[in-house]
Amino acid sequence: PLTLSVSGMVAKTGAVKFTPGITITEVIAQAGGFTPLARKNMVKVTRQLNGVKATYKLPVELIAEGERPNFPMLPGDEVFVPERPW
């Protein structure tokens, strides 16, 4: 099965099953949501495309509030939720 990985400040780190059309907000939800220390607007997604690694910094809180477009995920994406600095 195709998966993505989620680590950092989420309730459950590890693999999330990839389904076509899944978005960053759904991945966070499947990982049990953010912990209280999550930096919700600096979520990093690392993606390998044709052997090239790209990193996206996503404002997931703003996406969830409808202020930014959602981000479609691909199999193998790595999601990292950093800890907020304060």
Side-chain angles (χ1 to χ4, degrees):
L2 299 171
T3 60
L4 333 139
S5 68
V6 185
S7 61
M9 299 289 120
V10 291
K12 297 180 301 215
T13 60
V16 169
K17 184 172 172 249
F18 173 82
T19 51
I22 194 168
T23 61
I24 185 64
T25 51
E26 292 166 321
V27 169
I28 298 292
Q30 285 192 27
F34 291 117
T35 68
L37 291 175
R39 196 166 177 194
K40 300 173 185 169
N41 281 326
M42 280 293 289
V43 176
K44 289 188 184 139
V45 175
T46 305
R47 173 176 289 174
Q48 292 269 9
L49 271 179
N50 304 324
V52 178
K53 196 174 260 195
T55 301
Y56 305 88
K57 290 184 178 143
L58 304 176
V60 173
E61 193 170 39
L62 293 176
I63 292 170
E65 292 167 359
E67 295 184 28
R68 295 283 190 283
N70 217 323
F71 186 84
M73 305 299 293
L74 292 177
D77 282 356
E78 295 168 23
V79 179
F80 175 70
V81 180
E83 193 171 336
R84 58 193 165 111
W86 61 89

